[in-house]
Amino acid sequence: DFVGKDGIIVAKTVQNSNEINAELQNLLYRYIKKIDSVRNADNMTCDEIKEFLLTDTTVPDDELTFLEYARRQAETYRGNSQKLMYHTINHLEDFFTRPMYFEDITVGVLRKIDEKWAETMTINTRGIYFRNIRAIFNRAIDDEITTNYPFRKFKIKSTAKKKHELPVECLRKLAQLTFAPSENLKELARDLFMLSFYLCGVNLKDIYNWKKNKLKNGKICFVRYKIRRFEPETVEITLQPEAQALLDRAQGLYTANKLEEAIQLIDSIGVLYPKAYEVRHAANRLGYDVTRSQLQRDVVFIDSVLTEKQAELDKMLPEYTYERDMAYQQTGRYLWPTQVIEKNTSRSYLRAQVEENGQMSLTSIYVNARPIHHTAVKVSAPDGTFVQTPMSPDSYETTNLGLTIEKADYALDNDGGVSEFIAQRADQKLMMEFIGDRTQKVTLTPADRKAIQEVLELANRLSLVRQLKENQEENHRKIEFVERKMAEFDGN
């Protein structure tokens, strides 16, 4: 009785009602078929029927919809084949408007799918998806789930791809091409391409997996990744002895202090020649030297920047008021002198403060005999532009001498851009609107605009100095780690 005349179970006003109704209709169909299979269902109580239906939720293959069966089959696929099968299923889900069984998918349905997909897909892409659909039908026929086979009359379309080839002369020019020092990544790309060419067109994925294989008599022996499950035949290809040349070039870059280029070349040796053990051993040891030199260089650079920025910060701090309650605050905070609390006890305004670690926040303070229970503020400029904070997660109210004092806090990264907006327009007349049960507008005074601008500048400086110190500590830890690895390496 709870199913409408049009088959609707959940009202269309409910979000995702189409998907929910489709699932529920499919579930009801299964339950009805399961109950029909029981001879004494009329003698079962409601509780017994419920237990019977819920005891075994596994649906036999012959009761599955096309997409349910396709998903089960997709689980048996691997790699890109599985991804393509899931892509096919997802596109069919977007097309189907109800549960579709094998018998429902006719030649006419396939043609409609083809017409719809043609709006956004190429012929060959559609061909891939239709071949996946055909594969599901073939499996279902083998499993004796269906006898329907619409592909007897539906032909999968495709177009021949144009083959691209490089003339021999182009390959020679590419092999002899020289690169500028700044083009080392282009050179690495050329080397990978030429290596594939020298090794009979081997795939890059096979090159990356060579670390799991063996080098015998100057030949690399491996099983092609693409066909490893079907034809696990070992391929033998002569490996060209170019690894030592790359190592020599990396050593030269290291000596010349071109550390980034040296690291990239050292990394490429491990990729291109994973079985040239002696060369790789020397390259790994050189890699530690290069990494330590990089870190030491960074330490020197950060030290110089940190000294400069700390000096600038030390000059700024005396301009601000520092507050800290030693009884319960582990760190203090800085305010602009015009906004210290004792000078602003009975007015509505927007206060800015920043912790010693650079974390800035705004506090909107509303003082009035009539509370509005505000949790957000909006700031507007004369040109009509405005910003608004999200609802504050930290608001509170007190009373004093018949006045209600409302406060709401907004962290810099969650203030809706209000701090930046005011700092960029500190010379303009800005309006602030408290938003609560009702709204109340006040003018941001020039002193308040300047205070927010100055506190934001201090927050940026404090954050920069803190970040530089953290980076420096991290570099020192990395240097210690690298030196330990170097000691272990030299001891072996």
Side-chain angles (χ1 to χ4, degrees):
D1 293 339
F2 54 83
V3 181
K5 294 180 179 179
D6 54 359
I8 298 300
I9 300 173
V10 176
K12 292 183 179 181
T13 55
V14 177
Q15 187 177 7
N16 299 324
S17 61
N18 289 337
E19 292 82 355
I20 296 172
N21 281 313
E23 290 294 331
L24 290 175
Q25 289 165 4
N26 189 27
L27 184 62
L28 282 173
Y29 173 80
R30 295 180 197 163
Y31 283 169
I32 291 170
K33 288 194 68 175
K34 193 168 184 180
I35 292 174
D36 288 343
S37 68
V38 181
R39 293 181 179 178
N40 62 339
D42 293 339
N43 299 324
M44 297 172 66
T45 65
C46 291
D47 289 337
E48 289 172 338
I49 292 175
K50 177 181 177 181
E51 183 180 359
F52 169 70
L53 292 176
L54 298 179
T55 298
D56 181 14
T57 58
T58 301
V59 182
D61 283 350
D62 59 357
E63 296 182 13
L64 292 174
T65 65
F66 176 84
L67 291 180
E68 289 172 336
Y69 180 81
R71 288 191 195 95
R72 285 193 182 180
Q73 297 305 314
E75 294 174 0
T76 66
Y77 286 65
R78 294 293 181 270
N80 288 332
S81 297
Q82 186 180 64
K83 291 179 182 178
L84 286 172
M85 182 59 75
Y86 281 128
H87 282 314
T88 304
I89 294 170
N90 291 337
H91 283 294
L92 287 173
E93 283 182 330
D94 293 337
F95 180 84
F96 292 154
T97 58
R98 63 180 179 83
M100 296 288 282
Y101 293 85
F102 282 94
E103 287 70 22
D104 297 326
I105 302 176
T106 62
V107 175
V109 171
L110 293 179
R111 287 172 180 163
K112 289 181 180 179
I113 293 173
D114 191 35
E115 291 175 4
K116 182 64 177 178
W117 285 354
E119 297 174 4
T120 56
M121 299 181 194
T122 64
I123 290 178
N124 288 339
T125 300
R126 303 200 308 271
I128 293 172
Y129 292 157
F130 277 117
R131 279 189 285 274
N132 280 339
I133 297 173
R134 185 175 62 188
I136 295 301
F137 267 97
N138 289 334
R139 288 198 178 190
I141 291 172
D142 290 342
D143 291 341
E144 299 182 351
I145 291 174
T146 185
T147 57
N148 180 34
Y149 192 67
F151 287 92
R152 291 189 182 92
K153 296 182 179 180
F154 180 83
K155 302 302 179 184
I156 299 175
K157 303 172 186 176
S158 64
T159 57
K161 286 186 177 181
K162 183 180 178 181
K163 293 185 177 181
H164 301 278
E165 56 187 26
L166 282 177
V168 174
E169 187 58 33
C170 287
L171 284 171
R172 289 198 182 100
K173 289 181 179 180
L174 183 61
Q176 297 167 2
L177 188 63
T178 57
F179 295 86
S182 61
E183 297 179 315
N184 54 294
L185 289 179
K186 292 182 180 179
E187 188 171 13
L188 176 58
R190 189 275 311 274
D191 290 344
L192 284 167
F193 175 80
M194 293 306 300
L195 180 66
S196 177
F197 170 71
Y198 291 143
L199 300 180
C200 306
V202 65
N203 290 336
L204 287 179
K205 187 142 191 173
D206 290 320
I207 295 177
Y208 298 148
N209 287 329
W210 279 353
K211 61 185 179 181
K212 301 177 182 178
N213 300 280
K214 297 180 180 180
L215 182 66
K216 297 179 181 179
N217 301 321
K219 292 184 177 182
I220 186 70
C221 305
F222 66 99
V223 175
R224 290 185 62 204
Y225 184 86
K226 186 174 182 179
I227 60 172
R228 68 194 187 285
R229 290 187 296 125
F230 308 108
E231 301 176 26
E233 181 179 351
T234 300
V235 179
E236 295 185 1
I237 302 176
T238 301
L239 182 63
Q240 303 299 321
E242 298 169 343
Q244 187 63 56
L246 284 175
L247 177 60
D248 291 342
R249 190 147 56 92
Q251 180 68 59
L253 290 170
Y254 171 55
T255 303
N257 205 33
K258 297 181 179 180
L259 303 178
E260 285 77 13
E261 295 178 49
I263 281 292
Q264 288 165 354
L265 284 168
I266 289 167
D267 289 343
S268 73
I269 291 172
V271 173
L272 300 177
Y273 307 99
K275 295 307 177 181
Y277 293 109
E278 294 182 2
V279 175
R280 286 184 61 206
H281 185 83
N284 290 337
R285 182 60 178 83
L286 175 60
Y288 287 129
D289 287 329
V290 173
T291 300
R292 182 175 61 177
S293 295
Q294 281 181 309
L295 292 169
Q296 291 172 337
R297 181 192 61 183
D298 292 344
V299 165
V300 173
F301 173 74
I302 292 177
D303 270 339
S304 64
V305 176
L306 182 57
T307 300
E308 176 187 346
K309 298 303 178 183
Q310 184 66 58
E312 294 174 358
L313 179 62
D314 292 341
K315 289 181 180 179
M316 292 178 62
L317 289 177
E319 300 178 15
Y320 297 79
T321 299
Y322 179 75
E323 295 183 349
R324 180 183 177 187
D325 190 324
M326 301 298 293
Y328 68 92
Q329 287 182 317
Q330 293 183 346
T331 61
R333 65 180 182 179
Y334 294 95
L335 294 90
W336 193 246
T338 60
Q339 289 198 327
V340 294
I341 296 175
E342 55 268 21
K343 294 182 181 180
N344 300 274
T345 55
S346 60
R347 74 182 184 99
S348 300
Y349 70 109
L350 187 63
R351 186 180 69 209
Q353 53 269 321
V354 59
E355 307 292 329
E356 290 180 79
N357 61 6
Q359 293 182 348
M360 178 182 169
S361 63
L362 296 175
T363 301
S364 55
I365 303 170
Y366 180 75
V367 182
N368 200 291
R370 295 178 60 197
I372 62 174
H373 312 298
H374 86 281
T375 56
V377 294
K378 174 183 176 180
V379 178
S380 306
D383 62 1
T385 58
F386 67 90
V387 288
Q388 181 175 322
T389 67
M391 182 180 293
S392 171
D394 188 10
S395 60
Y396 44 98
E397 299 180 6
T398 59
T399 56
N400 184 31
L401 301 177
L403 295 175
T404 297
I405 304 171
E406 304 175 7
K407 297 181 180 180
D409 293 331
Y410 319 92
L412 178 61
D413 58 356
N414 194 35
D415 70 352
V418 170
S419 299
E420 290 283 355
F421 186 85
I422 295 173
Q424 293 170 4
R425 297 166 177 78
D427 59 342
Q428 300 179 25
K429 185 177 180 180
L430 303 177
M431 296 295 296
M432 181 175 72
E433 186 175 352
F434 294 91
I435 301 173
D437 294 343
R438 62 182 190 279
T439 61
Q440 186 69 41
K441 291 183 179 181
V442 298
T443 300
L444 282 177
T445 67
D448 287 339
R449 300 197 301 266
K450 179 176 175 59
I452 293 169
Q453 183 184 48
E454 296 293 343
V455 171
L456 179 60
E457 175 63 23
L458 179 60
N460 291 335
R461 295 299 181 96
L462 286 168
S463 296
L464 175 60
V465 169
R466 174 178 56 81
Q467 188 62 54
L468 288 170
K469 289 179 179 179
E470 290 176 356
N471 290 347
Q472 197 69 307
E473 292 174 0
E474 179 67 17
N475 282 335
H476 284 300
R477 286 195 293 269
K478 288 180 178 179
I479 289 174
E480 292 177 2
F481 172 79
V482 170
E483 289 180 341
R484 285 199 305 271
K485 298 299 290 185
M486 291 171 67
E488 294 173 6
F489 196 94
D490 293 339
N492 294 332

